[in-house]
Amino acid sequence: MAFENVEGIKVISHQDNRIFLIGDYFSVYEGDSRVPVIYEWTDVKSVTENKHGFIFLMQDDSLYKIGKTLINGVSRQLKLRAIVEGNIAKYPYIEHRHQKRVLPAKTHYTSCDMPSRAYSSKGVYNEKEISYSNVTLLNIRLGKLFIVVGIIITLAAFLFCIFVIKDVALNLKYYIPISVFCGVIIAMFIYIACAIVAKYIYSSLAKVDVTLDQEITFVIAEEGFSAIETELHSGFDLVRWDEVAYFVETNYVFIIYKNKRAVFWLPKRLFTKDRQKEISNFIAARLNQK
């Protein structure tokens, strides 16, 4: 099982008068009872993580809420997430919902042997590489739309000049560059709007994704890849290559996709130029590049 090396944690909820022990099992002490209610992970129906906490729905319809304010420190929150998602990876029929993240959800990981060949580095994400790459990806998706919009604006401006301003014979040599200029300007405004949206996306992520402030250990190996908080990294948990679809390379990052969603961002600045080329070829030998 993925993340089986993570120690279980204890959470006390004075408001509900409950004590939770979460590890190999999900156990709950109610009130003053010395006998816990013990659930195996097969007894869990769904888990939801939102900005306020974790919500567990059991097969017997019992509902348990663990607020993040009860879990002292980011480290313990990340441990709880790893335990929960490691078990969900083992039992994928458990429904799972969470907010947007930069790191791959730990439900994608499986436990592997120690990689025989790997590129590894440690670092922290920064706004520039995430925001700029979001703009690049948006432009890749909407590039044709930008061209179409630019052409439509150019034609509209040209027709406006012809039918409204008129004097075609006298001013035709001015109408063409003016129309093209209008099309280019509108396309540039769209690009700027995309940049603003990308910055907003990062800012909203930074508010809910505590891992953006954590040191991450990145691994690219024969067996798969990983981006895991360094304090949780063991070297044995990887996302296998056959679990993902393709990758995109920007000026700042390598991005791997699954089901048209980015699940892995590898900052290129963590490696030398020569090593970046090696990694690009290494990934390309396993995934299609777009």
Side-chain angles (χ1 to χ4, degrees):
M1 187 187 81
F3 302 99
E4 59 186 353
N5 64 306
V6 180
E7 295 181 358
I9 69 168
K10 177 181 179 179
V11 181
I12 300 174
S13 175
H14 295 291
Q15 182 177 358
D16 299 328
N17 200 16
R18 286 172 172 168
I19 298 175
F20 299 94
L21 299 178
I22 305 165
D24 293 336
Y25 300 90
F26 185 94
S27 304
V28 186
Y29 288 87
E30 298 272 7
D32 297 325
S33 174
R34 295 186 178 184
V35 180
V37 179
I38 301 175
Y39 294 95
E40 295 189 18
W41 286 97
T42 53
D43 298 323
V44 179
K45 185 175 182 180
S46 70
V47 181
T48 300
E49 181 186 351
N50 55 39
K51 67 179 181 179
H52 301 296
F54 298 82
I55 303 171
F56 298 84
L57 177 62
M58 303 306 180
Q59 296 290 354
D60 62 5
D61 291 330
S62 297
L63 187 69
Y64 300 100
K65 297 182 180 180
I66 301 178
K68 289 183 177 177
T69 56
L70 302 176
I71 310 169
N72 298 327
V74 172
S75 178
R76 297 187 74 236
Q77 288 185 28
L78 295 177
K79 284 183 179 179
L80 176 55
R81 177 187 289 175
I83 293 168
V84 170
E85 296 187 2
N87 279 285
I88 292 174
K90 184 177 181 181
Y91 305 108
Y93 55 81
I94 299 175
E95 296 177 23
H96 182 230
R97 292 176 291 275
H98 62 83
Q99 294 173 292
K100 290 184 178 180
R101 302 178 192 163
V102 173
L103 292 189
K106 291 176 173 57
T107 53
H108 297 314
Y109 286 87
T110 56
S111 184
C112 306
D113 293 332
M114 182 66 74
S116 54
R117 177 189 174 195
Y119 299 95
S120 179
S121 189
K122 298 178 182 180
V124 178
Y125 286 114
N126 66 44
E127 179 181 355
K128 181 180 180 181
E129 61 200 8
I130 300 297
S131 297
Y132 177 85
S133 297
N134 271 326
V135 174
T136 301
L137 295 175
L138 199 57
N139 289 339
I140 290 173
R141 297 192 195 102
L142 303 179
K144 292 182 179 179
L145 177 62
F146 290 166
I147 294 173
V148 170
V149 169
I151 292 173
I152 291 174
I153 295 299
T154 299
L155 291 175
F158 186 70
L159 293 175
F160 177 84
C161 292
I162 290 176
F163 293 107
V164 177
I165 302 177
K166 300 180 180 179
D167 294 329
V168 178
L170 182 63
N171 296 316
L172 182 61
K173 62 181 179 180
Y174 300 112
Y175 290 168
I176 294 176
I178 289 173
S179 301
V180 172
F181 180 76
C182 289
V184 170
I185 288 296
I186 295 299
M188 287 180 62
F189 273 120
I190 294 175
Y191 179 87
I192 293 171
C194 289
I196 294 172
V197 170
K199 188 175 181 66
Y200 172 78
I201 290 172
Y202 181 88
S203 298
S204 61
L205 268 177
K207 293 178 181 178
V208 298
D209 189 358
V210 294
T211 58
L212 286 176
D213 295 325
Q214 305 298 305
E215 181 184 73
I216 309 299
T217 297
F218 301 91
V219 176
I220 295 285
E222 293 280 0
E223 294 78 5
F225 58 90
S226 67
I228 300 172
E229 300 88 347
T230 298
E231 64 178 308
L232 297 176
H233 177 72
S234 67
F236 296 99
D237 303 309
L238 296 170
V239 181
R240 297 185 184 276
W241 294 109
D242 57 9
E243 290 290 319
V244 292
Y246 60 89
F247 82 102
V248 172
E249 181 178 351
T250 74
N251 290 341
Y252 293 102
V253 294
F254 298 100
I255 309 171
I256 295 178
Y257 279 80
K258 177 177 181 175
N259 298 329
K260 297 183 178 181
R261 289 180 177 271
V263 296
F264 178 75
W265 299 65
L266 176 63
K268 297 170 77 171
R269 61 181 162 79
L270 301 179
F271 302 91
T272 64
K273 291 289 185 181
D274 290 341
R275 190 54 61 88
Q276 290 174 22
K277 183 63 176 178
E278 288 180 25
I279 293 173
S280 180
N281 293 336
F282 187 86
I283 299 174
R286 291 156 180 79
L287 297 175
N288 292 325
Q289 183 173 4
K290 290 192 177 183

